[in-house]
Amino acid sequence: HHQRCGTLTSNNYSTMFRERRGVSDLEDNLATLTGQQQDDDNMSDDDNAAPEMQSEAELDGEKEDPFLMAIDDLEGRVVAALDDVKLHPGVRSNSSQTVQAELATVLQPVMEVAAHTAPSVARTYYRGVGAEGVEASCEEVYQRVISDLVLPVLLEMAQSDTIPAKRGASLEFFRGLWRECHKSGSWLDNNQGANGGPYGSGIVSKLHHNAQQPRAQLRRRQQKRLAREAELLRYWVQASIACTTPGVFTSDSAEAAIGARGVIAASASIRPSLKHIAQRIRDADDRGANRVFGPVMKMVEGVLKKLFLNSNISKDSGVEEDALRSACIKFLEIVCLCCSAKPQDSSSRKRRDTPDDFSLEDLPAGHPIITREALESIAEYAFTTLRGLALLGGQRKVDLNLLSDMMMGGQNSPSEQVVSILKPASLAFLEVESSIPPGDAENALEFNLDRANMEFDFFLSQKSYTLTINALATLSSNRPVFFKEGATCLGRRNADPPKFAEDGHLTKSAVLGIQSQLRASCLTLLRNALSVQTKSSQILLKTLIKSDMKVQAEKAQKMAQQTMSLKTAGRAARNRANMFYEWETSADQRSSKRQRETDDALAKMRAAKAARGLGHGIQLPTSMADSIDLIMANLQHLPSKKPPRSSKQSSKQNKTPATLDSLVDAIITNGASLAQEEGRWYSRDGGEAWKSRMDGDTYYELSEKLLSTITAEDGPDKKRSKQELAAIHSQKTLFHKQCKVAASEAMGRIISNSTSSRNPQLTKFANQVGARLAWTLKDVPVSSNLRPAQQMANETIQSSKKRLAEKEKQKSLDELASSFPLVASCLVMEATTTPESDSQEDRPSLGRSILDEAYANSCYEEPGKGNDPWRKYGTSLDLFVGSFLHSGERANDKPTDNDRKRTAAHLSGSMQQQI
């Protein structure tokens, strides 16, 4: 009864005990005198007999106790949700979400009860007096719901469940529970005051925050919080250890998948575990620190064994094995960050600190086993291992005999077991590095590693290789002790990057991606001021110059030198630099009042010039009514002739009078007609070549002089001399060339309108007109806006020749490109343009219109001697389909180009529908 009702004060408890004892003695004496004492026949002499049943009054009291009923309700909700998880088949029931999302949804009630509902019930239905009653109720709820039910069941699921998805769900549950328990009003809430933590609502006012708790109460609550934190961390770490233990599943893919989940859980739990250990050491609780440090080091040991001693993972691993290896490499980076010292610069330390961050400075001194030297040795060997993975492209073969001797050497410290795994892997790389010139030497980049004759335990894929490079760059930037070695390693690997080989383990796109990542990382490190301070900027500069990035490298080095000089400069120099950086970062924000006034004055002046038709050419008004008003306002300002031109142009062109037609043309074309040559009769403002009539029906016609010139006969005539005939022939040749240019530009405008139009009906009509013109205009060159499509067509033809074995088809493709360049360009137009939105993916296809036109021509063309009517359609179809395939090849050649990726993805998705 005392345990259920809560803890009372000592005075009240002693008084109540004496009163109840006196009443009990009096009732016993009265029962003896009146003969109402229980008969001896009802008593049992058996020592193993069951205890006496409680009275009905006591049972009714327990049933009606709201606190106990609330706890029973919480346990029932948790048990029901855990039963649903146990009965789940481990396969998703619908395609809308993954099996991990389904299991997380099933476990959501357990999370809510454990983190929020349970502490709310404890402080709502508490029994007893004051704060001590609330604490006793919270302790009982936590013990029954969290310690005795939720944590053991989830750990058992992570250790012994036969379905990998459920093990992964249990690991994710521990991570989510840790995050939720730190929120206001939950078990690990760190808010100070009597209303903080699970003992209040979690909303600590300013008055309660400043009010001091009693010293004994504050100490007691902090100890309870640390105990709960340690319990949750131990369960979390044990679950991770269970999933990284080898031999969990018989299937290699399943074991690799759950191993990757376990490594991810280890990466998430190592920082809070080390922070808890540091707090225990700070409180002089060495035994509490050891209870967490031992499992943490065992967890690190399990992850390293997964990386270096997992014989089930082959050199050419699959997706699950690659995910496991990538997670292990990321875990190595986190270990290096936690077990190394931060930079001493206060500004960088303030910028990079987060509540969950941990470094070597956070570990207090004084513990006999958990020392900074032990963790620092782990970080050193782990970083050396990462350098070896980056430089060699994989892990060089480790002597298992040496590894077993080191692991069985009888070390007493848990950290020494971790070092015994990392040390052979790092020594295997240091043996190779000893044959390379040092990073400070002039010939630091002149080395040749014979990787073909090396034995490797495993190779890195593109994903794991990229993570290794990022890990080295991150560690070098955030930990100055690693900068020089990390920069030297990346510079050497950039000078000798991985190369593509037919029998290699990396694809061509993977090699290009890794090389790009190496160059970007070297440039980032060179821009850091530590490159100048550690004297590693020279090797980074040399390797970037070797990669044809001299301009970028010199700018980065200059920035690093400037940043380094500002650290020792005076206040005036730092203020000037700060002002410069503010101007650079706030280019779109006008800070000063004078700058705003200047910008507003310039905007008003430009608006006034535009209204008067001045400025950079005549500004095109927004509507035709505004254009007419502008024309009428400027009629009185018409000059007698056009503006003078350069001296290279003939003086005849300058004598052309400025008329109303030329002014209207200049305004409508936004001044483009003023810059055009009059010799180009096929363009707007063709001078004397065109005549327009506005009376009645408006139409345009060529001048009689031009018509007579192009229709004149250039045959033998006695009345004309040879010079005249040659001039007529030259003029006609020029006219025909200009006709082709005019047709090409008109075709380009049609295609531009087709691709930019938002109306599907107009696009379809423009495609049909363009297809008919493309097959009609033979030997007409393409315009400037179709040049990329023509280049794409030529590349597609060269690529298709490698796939086509028939010489006749190869010849037909060349003839199509030379005779009908417009057709070839329009067929591959879709392979050169990227759809801006999903709505543009269903727009009518220009290539389809070209094929329809070719099919119609083939149907009506009669077969002749040596003439295949379907040859034109078949060749067009070969080029059209070949553009789809070549688009994917272009995306693979340049994997960092997002436009090429989007175009290839769009074409591959619509290829089946198009065919």
Side-chain angles (χ1 to χ4, degrees), residues 57-88:
E58 292 178 351
L59 291 175
D60 293 339
E62 288 186 2
K63 290 180 181 179
E64 296 176 359
D65 190 351
F67 181 65
L68 297 178
M69 292 174 63
I71 295 180
D72 294 338
D73 179 66
L74 293 179
E75 291 177 342
R77 291 164 60 182
V78 171
V79 170
L82 292 176
D83 287 341
D84 294 340
V85 177
K86 288 289 185 180
L87 296 176
H88 196 280

PDB file of all heavy atoms in Angstrom, residues 57-88:
ATOM      1  N   ALA A  57     -12.588  -5.629  -0.262  1.00  0.00           N
ATOM      2  CA  ALA A  57     -12.442  -4.165  -0.172  1.00  0.00           C
ATOM      3  C   ALA A  57     -11.144  -3.687  -0.801  1.00  0.00           C
ATOM      4  O   ALA A  57     -11.103  -2.686  -1.511  1.00  0.00           O
ATOM      5  CB  ALA A  57     -12.523  -3.726   1.300  1.00  0.00           C
ATOM      6  N   GLU A  58     -10.043  -4.465  -0.538  1.00  0.00           N
ATOM      7  CA  GLU A  58      -8.754  -4.096  -1.137  1.00  0.00           C
ATOM      8  C   GLU A  58      -8.797  -4.248  -2.660  1.00  0.00           C
ATOM      9  O   GLU A  58      -8.261  -3.433  -3.397  1.00  0.00           O
ATOM     10  CB  GLU A  58      -7.643  -4.935  -0.533  1.00  0.00           C
ATOM     11  CG  GLU A  58      -7.378  -4.628   0.943  1.00  0.00           C
ATOM     12  CD  GLU A  58      -6.295  -5.513   1.502  1.00  0.00           C
ATOM     13  OE1 GLU A  58      -5.902  -6.447   0.773  1.00  0.00           O
ATOM     14  OE2 GLU A  58      -5.840  -5.273   2.629  1.00  0.00           O
ATOM     15  N   LEU A  59      -9.436  -5.316  -3.151  1.00  0.00           N
ATOM     16  CA  LEU A  59      -9.530  -5.506  -4.595  1.00  0.00           C
ATOM     17  C   LEU A  59     -10.363  -4.404  -5.231  1.00  0.00           C
ATOM     18  O   LEU A  59     -10.021  -3.885  -6.300  1.00  0.00           O
ATOM     19  CB  LEU A  59     -10.151  -6.878  -4.893  1.00  0.00           C
ATOM     20  CG  LEU A  59      -9.281  -8.090  -4.546  1.00  0.00           C
ATOM     21  CD1 LEU A  59     -10.055  -9.377  -4.783  1.00  0.00           C
ATOM     22  CD2 LEU A  59      -8.005  -8.083  -5.366  1.00  0.00           C
ATOM     23  N   ASP A  60     -11.463  -4.030  -4.587  1.00  0.00           N
ATOM     24  CA  ASP A  60     -12.272  -2.942  -5.134  1.00  0.00           C
ATOM     25  C   ASP A  60     -11.512  -1.625  -5.134  1.00  0.00           C
ATOM     26  O   ASP A  60     -11.628  -0.820  -6.054  1.00  0.00           O
ATOM     27  CB  ASP A  60     -13.549  -2.791  -4.306  1.00  0.00           C
ATOM     28  CG  ASP A  60     -14.462  -4.007  -4.453  1.00  0.00           C
ATOM     29  OD1 ASP A  60     -14.300  -4.727  -5.455  1.00  0.00           O
ATOM     30  OD2 ASP A  60     -15.310  -4.222  -3.561  1.00  0.00           O
ATOM     31  N   GLY A  61     -10.669  -1.450  -4.101  1.00  0.00           N
ATOM     32  CA  GLY A  61      -9.868  -0.224  -4.065  1.00  0.00           C
ATOM     33  C   GLY A  61      -8.870  -0.146  -5.196  1.00  0.00           C
ATOM     34  O   GLY A  61      -8.639   0.903  -5.782  1.00  0.00           O
ATOM     35  N   GLU A  62      -8.256  -1.312  -5.502  1.00  0.00           N
ATOM     36  CA  GLU A  62      -7.294  -1.317  -6.618  1.00  0.00           C
ATOM     37  C   GLU A  62      -8.000  -1.102  -7.947  1.00  0.00           C
ATOM     38  O   GLU A  62      -7.500  -0.436  -8.839  1.00  0.00           O
ATOM     39  CB  GLU A  62      -6.529  -2.635  -6.615  1.00  0.00           C
ATOM     40  CG  GLU A  62      -5.520  -2.762  -5.485  1.00  0.00           C
ATOM     41  CD  GLU A  62      -4.695  -4.028  -5.626  1.00  0.00           C
ATOM     42  OE1 GLU A  62      -4.916  -4.744  -6.618  1.00  0.00           O
ATOM     43  OE2 GLU A  62      -3.838  -4.275  -4.770  1.00  0.00           O
ATOM     44  N   LYS A  63      -9.185  -1.701  -8.090  1.00  0.00           N
ATOM     45  CA  LYS A  63      -9.888  -1.550  -9.355  1.00  0.00           C
ATOM     46  C   LYS A  63     -10.325  -0.110  -9.579  1.00  0.00           C
ATOM     47  O   LYS A  63     -10.350   0.375 -10.697  1.00  0.00           O
ATOM     48  CB  LYS A  63     -11.099  -2.473  -9.383  1.00  0.00           C
ATOM     49  CG  LYS A  63     -10.738  -3.942  -9.471  1.00  0.00           C
ATOM     50  CD  LYS A  63     -11.991  -4.805  -9.500  1.00  0.00           C
ATOM     51  CE  LYS A  63     -11.642  -6.290  -9.576  1.00  0.00           C
ATOM     52  NZ  LYS A  63     -12.856  -7.143  -9.571  1.00  0.00           N
ATOM     53  N   GLU A  64     -10.661   0.571  -8.522  1.00  0.00           N
ATOM     54  CA  GLU A  64     -11.143   1.936  -8.658  1.00  0.00           C
ATOM     55  C   GLU A  64     -10.032   2.968  -8.607  1.00  0.00           C
ATOM     56  O   GLU A  64     -10.320   4.165  -8.717  1.00  0.00           O
ATOM     57  CB  GLU A  64     -12.149   2.219  -7.533  1.00  0.00           C
ATOM     58  CG  GLU A  64     -13.407   1.363  -7.620  1.00  0.00           C
ATOM     59  CD  GLU A  64     -14.328   1.601  -6.453  1.00  0.00           C
ATOM     60  OE1 GLU A  64     -13.949   2.425  -5.580  1.00  0.00           O
ATOM     61  OE2 GLU A  64     -15.407   0.984  -6.400  1.00  0.00           O
ATOM     62  N   ASP A  65      -8.792   2.551  -8.428  1.00  0.00           N
ATOM     63  CA  ASP A  65      -7.675   3.501  -8.369  1.00  0.00           C
ATOM     64  C   ASP A  65      -7.412   4.051  -9.770  1.00  0.00           C
ATOM     65  O   ASP A  65      -7.030   3.304 -10.678  1.00  0.00           O
ATOM     66  CB  ASP A  65      -6.432   2.808  -7.832  1.00  0.00           C
ATOM     67  CG  ASP A  65      -5.317   3.810  -7.534  1.00  0.00           C
ATOM     68  OD1 ASP A  65      -5.478   4.989  -7.919  1.00  0.00           O
ATOM     69  OD2 ASP A  65      -4.309   3.414  -6.930  1.00  0.00           O
ATOM     70  N   PRO A  66      -7.619   5.345 -10.023  1.00  0.00           N
ATOM     71  CA  PRO A  66      -7.414   5.873 -11.379  1.00  0.00           C
ATOM     72  C   PRO A  66      -5.977   5.744 -11.861  1.00  0.00           C
ATOM     73  O   PRO A  66      -5.720   5.569 -13.057  1.00  0.00           O
ATOM     74  CB  PRO A  66      -7.825   7.337 -11.272  1.00  0.00           C
ATOM     75  CG  PRO A  66      -8.275   7.549  -9.893  1.00  0.00           C
ATOM     76  CD  PRO A  66      -8.013   6.349  -9.077  1.00  0.00           C
ATOM     77  N   PHE A  67      -5.021   5.848 -10.983  1.00  0.00           N
ATOM     78  CA  PHE A  67      -3.618   5.752 -11.372  1.00  0.00           C
ATOM     79  C   PHE A  67      -3.287   4.368 -11.923  1.00  0.00           C
ATOM     80  O   PHE A  67      -2.690   4.218 -12.997  1.00  0.00           O
ATOM     81  CB  PHE A  67      -2.736   6.088 -10.180  1.00  0.00           C
ATOM     82  CG  PHE A  67      -1.271   6.036 -10.466  1.00  0.00           C
ATOM     83  CD1 PHE A  67      -0.687   6.921 -11.359  1.00  0.00           C
ATOM     84  CD2 PHE A  67      -0.458   5.099  -9.856  1.00  0.00           C
ATOM     85  CE1 PHE A  67       0.659   6.875 -11.627  1.00  0.00           C
ATOM     86  CE2 PHE A  67       0.899   5.039 -10.125  1.00  0.00           C
ATOM     87  CZ  PHE A  67       1.459   5.938 -11.006  1.00  0.00           C
ATOM     88  N   LEU A  68      -3.725   3.325 -11.197  1.00  0.00           N
ATOM     89  CA  LEU A  68      -3.458   1.962 -11.661  1.00  0.00           C
ATOM     90  C   LEU A  68      -4.241   1.646 -12.922  1.00  0.00           C
ATOM     91  O   LEU A  68      -3.744   0.945 -13.813  1.00  0.00           O
ATOM     92  CB  LEU A  68      -3.801   0.969 -10.545  1.00  0.00           C
ATOM     93  CG  LEU A  68      -2.977   1.086  -9.258  1.00  0.00           C
ATOM     94  CD1 LEU A  68      -3.454   0.070  -8.235  1.00  0.00           C
ATOM     95  CD2 LEU A  68      -1.503   0.899  -9.549  1.00  0.00           C
ATOM     96  N   MET A  69      -5.465   2.147 -13.000  1.00  0.00           N
ATOM     97  CA  MET A  69      -6.254   1.921 -14.210  1.00  0.00           C
ATOM     98  C   MET A  69      -5.597   2.599 -15.423  1.00  0.00           C
ATOM     99  O   MET A  69      -5.594   2.054 -16.527  1.00  0.00           O
ATOM    100  CB  MET A  69      -7.667   2.455 -14.012  1.00  0.00           C
ATOM    101  CG  MET A  69      -8.486   1.666 -12.988  1.00  0.00           C
ATOM    102  SD  MET A  69     -10.078   2.425 -12.661  1.00  0.00           S
ATOM    103  CE  MET A  69     -10.830   2.302 -14.272  1.00  0.00           C
ATOM    104  N   ALA A  70      -5.023   3.772 -15.208  1.00  0.00           N
ATOM    105  CA  ALA A  70      -4.347   4.465 -16.316  1.00  0.00           C
ATOM    106  C   ALA A  70      -3.109   3.697 -16.773  1.00  0.00           C
ATOM    107  O   ALA A  70      -2.840   3.582 -17.976  1.00  0.00           O
ATOM    108  CB  ALA A  70      -3.972   5.880 -15.887  1.00  0.00           C
ATOM    109  N   ILE A  71      -2.356   3.144 -15.803  1.00  0.00           N
ATOM    110  CA  ILE A  71      -1.172   2.365 -16.180  1.00  0.00           C
ATOM    111  C   ILE A  71      -1.584   1.107 -16.936  1.00  0.00           C
ATOM    112  O   ILE A  71      -0.957   0.727 -17.948  1.00  0.00           O
ATOM    113  CB  ILE A  71      -0.350   2.019 -14.930  1.00  0.00           C
ATOM    114  CG1 ILE A  71       0.223   3.286 -14.292  1.00  0.00           C
ATOM    115  CG2 ILE A  71       0.794   1.079 -15.295  1.00  0.00           C
ATOM    116  CD1 ILE A  71       1.043   3.025 -13.045  1.00  0.00           C
ATOM    117  N   ASP A  72      -2.639   0.433 -16.455  1.00  0.00           N
ATOM    118  CA  ASP A  72      -3.121  -0.759 -17.161  1.00  0.00           C
ATOM    119  C   ASP A  72      -3.568  -0.421 -18.578  1.00  0.00           C
ATOM    120  O   ASP A  72      -3.337  -1.199 -19.519  1.00  0.00           O
ATOM    121  CB  ASP A  72      -4.270  -1.388 -16.378  1.00  0.00           C
ATOM    122  CG  ASP A  72      -3.810  -1.948 -15.038  1.00  0.00           C
ATOM    123  OD1 ASP A  72      -2.591  -2.217 -14.918  1.00  0.00           O
ATOM    124  OD2 ASP A  72      -4.640  -2.113 -14.137  1.00  0.00           O
ATOM    125  N   ASP A  73      -4.199   0.734 -18.735  1.00  0.00           N
ATOM    126  CA  ASP A  73      -4.612   1.148 -20.075  1.00  0.00           C
ATOM    127  C   ASP A  73      -3.409   1.397 -20.974  1.00  0.00           C
ATOM    128  O   ASP A  73      -3.402   1.004 -22.156  1.00  0.00           O
ATOM    129  CB  ASP A  73      -5.470   2.402 -19.978  1.00  0.00           C
ATOM    130  CG  ASP A  73      -5.911   2.896 -21.339  1.00  0.00           C
ATOM    131  OD1 ASP A  73      -6.686   2.193 -22.013  1.00  0.00           O
ATOM    132  OD2 ASP A  73      -5.459   3.995 -21.741  1.00  0.00           O
ATOM    133  N   LEU A  74      -2.366   2.034 -20.446  1.00  0.00           N
ATOM    134  CA  LEU A  74      -1.150   2.253 -21.239  1.00  0.00           C
ATOM    135  C   LEU A  74      -0.514   0.929 -21.636  1.00  0.00           C
ATOM    136  O   LEU A  74      -0.097   0.751 -22.795  1.00  0.00           O
ATOM    137  CB  LEU A  74      -0.160   3.103 -20.440  1.00  0.00           C
ATOM    138  CG  LEU A  74      -0.546   4.561 -20.149  1.00  0.00           C
ATOM    139  CD1 LEU A  74       0.547   5.231 -19.338  1.00  0.00           C
ATOM    140  CD2 LEU A  74      -0.782   5.321 -21.435  1.00  0.00           C
ATOM    141  N   GLU A  75      -0.428   0.015 -20.702  1.00  0.00           N
ATOM    142  CA  GLU A  75       0.160  -1.284 -21.029  1.00  0.00           C
ATOM    143  C   GLU A  75      -0.662  -2.022 -22.077  1.00  0.00           C
ATOM    144  O   GLU A  75      -0.112  -2.667 -22.968  1.00  0.00           O
ATOM    145  CB  GLU A  75       0.279  -2.122 -19.758  1.00  0.00           C
ATOM    146  CG  GLU A  75       1.326  -1.607 -18.775  1.00  0.00           C
ATOM    147  CD  GLU A  75       1.348  -2.423 -17.509  1.00  0.00           C
ATOM    148  OE1 GLU A  75       0.353  -3.139 -17.237  1.00  0.00           O
ATOM    149  OE2 GLU A  75       2.355  -2.352 -16.770  1.00  0.00           O
ATOM    150  N   GLY A  76      -1.985  -1.920 -21.975  1.00  0.00           N
ATOM    151  CA  GLY A  76      -2.825  -2.576 -22.979  1.00  0.00           C
ATOM    152  C   GLY A  76      -2.636  -2.004 -24.364  1.00  0.00           C
ATOM    153  O   GLY A  76      -2.565  -2.751 -25.351  1.00  0.00           O
ATOM    154  N   ARG A  77      -2.506  -0.678 -24.476  1.00  0.00           N
ATOM    155  CA  ARG A  77      -2.283  -0.068 -25.787  1.00  0.00           C
ATOM    156  C   ARG A  77      -0.930  -0.460 -26.360  1.00  0.00           C
ATOM    157  O   ARG A  77      -0.802  -0.734 -27.562  1.00  0.00           O
ATOM    158  CB  ARG A  77      -2.389   1.448 -25.656  1.00  0.00           C
ATOM    159  CG  ARG A  77      -3.793   1.939 -25.357  1.00  0.00           C
ATOM    160  CD  ARG A  77      -3.821   3.362 -24.851  1.00  0.00           C
ATOM    161  NE  ARG A  77      -3.247   4.293 -25.812  1.00  0.00           N
ATOM    162  CZ  ARG A  77      -3.122   5.599 -25.587  1.00  0.00           C
ATOM    163  NH1 ARG A  77      -3.527   6.101 -24.423  1.00  0.00           N
ATOM    164  NH2 ARG A  77      -2.597   6.382 -26.498  1.00  0.00           N
ATOM    165  N   VAL A  78       0.078  -0.498 -25.512  1.00  0.00           N
ATOM    166  CA  VAL A  78       1.418  -0.877 -25.992  1.00  0.00           C
ATOM    167  C   VAL A  78       1.436  -2.335 -26.431  1.00  0.00           C
ATOM    168  O   VAL A  78       1.994  -2.680 -27.490  1.00  0.00           O
ATOM    169  CB  VAL A  78       2.463  -0.604 -24.891  1.00  0.00           C
ATOM    170  CG1 VAL A  78       3.810  -1.202 -25.283  1.00  0.00           C
ATOM    171  CG2 VAL A  78       2.602   0.888 -24.647  1.00  0.00           C
ATOM    172  N   VAL A  79       0.824  -3.212 -25.633  1.00  0.00           N
ATOM    173  CA  VAL A  79       0.821  -4.643 -25.975  1.00  0.00           C
ATOM    174  C   VAL A  79       0.060  -4.882 -27.264  1.00  0.00           C
ATOM    175  O   VAL A  79       0.465  -5.700 -28.105  1.00  0.00           O
ATOM    176  CB  VAL A  79       0.223  -5.450 -24.802  1.00  0.00           C
ATOM    177  CG1 VAL A  79      -0.025  -6.897 -25.227  1.00  0.00           C
ATOM    178  CG2 VAL A  79       1.152  -5.409 -23.608  1.00  0.00           C
ATOM    179  N   ALA A  80      -1.050  -4.185 -27.470  1.00  0.00           N
ATOM    180  CA  ALA A  80      -1.819  -4.354 -28.709  1.00  0.00           C
ATOM    181  C   ALA A  80      -0.994  -3.945 -29.934  1.00  0.00           C
ATOM    182  O   ALA A  80      -0.987  -4.638 -30.961  1.00  0.00           O
ATOM    183  CB  ALA A  80      -3.112  -3.541 -28.632  1.00  0.00           C
ATOM    184  N   ALA A  81      -0.283  -2.804 -29.825  1.00  0.00           N
ATOM    185  CA  ALA A  81       0.542  -2.367 -30.961  1.00  0.00           C
ATOM    186  C   ALA A  81       1.711  -3.315 -31.205  1.00  0.00           C
ATOM    187  O   ALA A  81       2.057  -3.622 -32.359  1.00  0.00           O
ATOM    188  CB  ALA A  81       1.051  -0.944 -30.710  1.00  0.00           C
ATOM    189  N   LEU A  82       2.344  -3.805 -30.138  1.00  0.00           N
ATOM    190  CA  LEU A  82       3.463  -4.736 -30.310  1.00  0.00           C
ATOM    191  C   LEU A  82       2.989  -6.064 -30.884  1.00  0.00           C
ATOM    192  O   LEU A  82       3.716  -6.716 -31.651  1.00  0.00           O
ATOM    193  CB  LEU A  82       4.164  -4.951 -28.970  1.00  0.00           C
ATOM    194  CG  LEU A  82       4.918  -3.735 -28.416  1.00  0.00           C
ATOM    195  CD1 LEU A  82       5.486  -4.055 -27.040  1.00  0.00           C
ATOM    196  CD2 LEU A  82       6.033  -3.301 -29.360  1.00  0.00           C
ATOM    197  N   ASP A  83       1.756  -6.497 -30.521  1.00  0.00           N
ATOM    198  CA  ASP A  83       1.216  -7.713 -31.128  1.00  0.00           C
ATOM    199  C   ASP A  83       1.006  -7.536 -32.631  1.00  0.00           C
ATOM    200  O   ASP A  83       1.253  -8.456 -33.420  1.00  0.00           O
ATOM    201  CB  ASP A  83      -0.104  -8.085 -30.453  1.00  0.00           C
ATOM    202  CG  ASP A  83       0.115  -8.631 -29.048  1.00  0.00           C
ATOM    203  OD1 ASP A  83       1.260  -9.053 -28.757  1.00  0.00           O
ATOM    204  OD2 ASP A  83      -0.842  -8.625 -28.255  1.00  0.00           O
ATOM    205  N   ASP A  84       0.548  -6.347 -33.035  1.00  0.00           N
ATOM    206  CA  ASP A  84       0.384  -6.082 -34.472  1.00  0.00           C
ATOM    207  C   ASP A  84       1.717  -6.140 -35.205  1.00  0.00           C
ATOM    208  O   ASP A  84       1.800  -6.613 -36.340  1.00  0.00           O
ATOM    209  CB  ASP A  84      -0.260  -4.711 -34.674  1.00  0.00           C
ATOM    210  CG  ASP A  84      -1.693  -4.666 -34.158  1.00  0.00           C
ATOM    211  OD1 ASP A  84      -2.294  -5.757 -34.015  1.00  0.00           O
ATOM    212  OD2 ASP A  84      -2.190  -3.552 -33.873  1.00  0.00           O
ATOM    213  N   VAL A  85       2.778  -5.658 -34.544  1.00  0.00           N
ATOM    214  CA  VAL A  85       4.101  -5.728 -35.166  1.00  0.00           C
ATOM    215  C   VAL A  85       4.565  -7.184 -35.270  1.00  0.00           C
ATOM    216  O   VAL A  85       5.127  -7.601 -36.294  1.00  0.00           O
ATOM    217  CB  VAL A  85       5.106  -4.879 -34.369  1.00  0.00           C
ATOM    218  CG1 VAL A  85       6.505  -5.005 -34.956  1.00  0.00           C
ATOM    219  CG2 VAL A  85       4.686  -3.422 -34.368  1.00  0.00           C
ATOM    220  N   LYS A  86       4.344  -7.954 -34.242  1.00  0.00           N
ATOM    221  CA  LYS A  86       4.751  -9.353 -34.267  1.00  0.00           C
ATOM    222  C   LYS A  86       4.029 -10.131 -35.353  1.00  0.00           C
ATOM    223  O   LYS A  86       4.595 -11.043 -35.977  1.00  0.00           O
ATOM    224  CB  LYS A  86       4.487  -9.992 -32.901  1.00  0.00           C
ATOM    225  CG  LYS A  86       5.438  -9.546 -31.800  1.00  0.00           C
ATOM    226  CD  LYS A  86       6.835 -10.111 -32.017  1.00  0.00           C
ATOM    227  CE  LYS A  86       7.750  -9.765 -30.864  1.00  0.00           C
ATOM    228  NZ  LYS A  86       9.120 -10.305 -31.072  1.00  0.00           N
ATOM    229  N   LEU A  87       2.759  -9.809 -35.601  1.00  0.00           N
ATOM    230  CA  LEU A  87       1.964 -10.526 -36.595  1.00  0.00           C
ATOM    231  C   LEU A  87       2.173  -9.996 -38.010  1.00  0.00           C
ATOM    232  O   LEU A  87       1.634 -10.566 -38.962  1.00  0.00           O
ATOM    233  CB  LEU A  87       0.480 -10.435 -36.238  1.00  0.00           C
ATOM    234  CG  LEU A  87       0.062 -11.114 -34.919  1.00  0.00           C
ATOM    235  CD1 LEU A  87      -1.402 -10.868 -34.636  1.00  0.00           C
ATOM    236  CD2 LEU A  87       0.359 -12.612 -34.965  1.00  0.00           C
ATOM    237  N   HIS A  88       2.902  -8.900 -38.165  1.00  0.00           N
ATOM    238  CA  HIS A  88       3.121  -8.329 -39.505  1.00  0.00           C
ATOM    239  C   HIS A  88       3.999  -9.272 -40.323  1.00  0.00           C
ATOM    240  O   HIS A  88       5.021  -9.778 -39.842  1.00  0.00           O
ATOM    241  CB  HIS A  88       3.788  -6.958 -39.390  1.00  0.00           C
ATOM    242  CG  HIS A  88       3.705  -6.148 -40.627  1.00  0.00           C
ATOM    243  ND1 HIS A  88       4.549  -6.329 -41.705  1.00  0.00           N
ATOM    244  CD2 HIS A  88       2.864  -5.138 -40.988  1.00  0.00           C
ATOM    245  CE1 HIS A  88       4.252  -5.476 -42.659  1.00  0.00           C
ATOM    246  NE2 HIS A  88       3.232  -4.726 -42.251  1.00  0.00           N
TER     247      HIS A  88
END
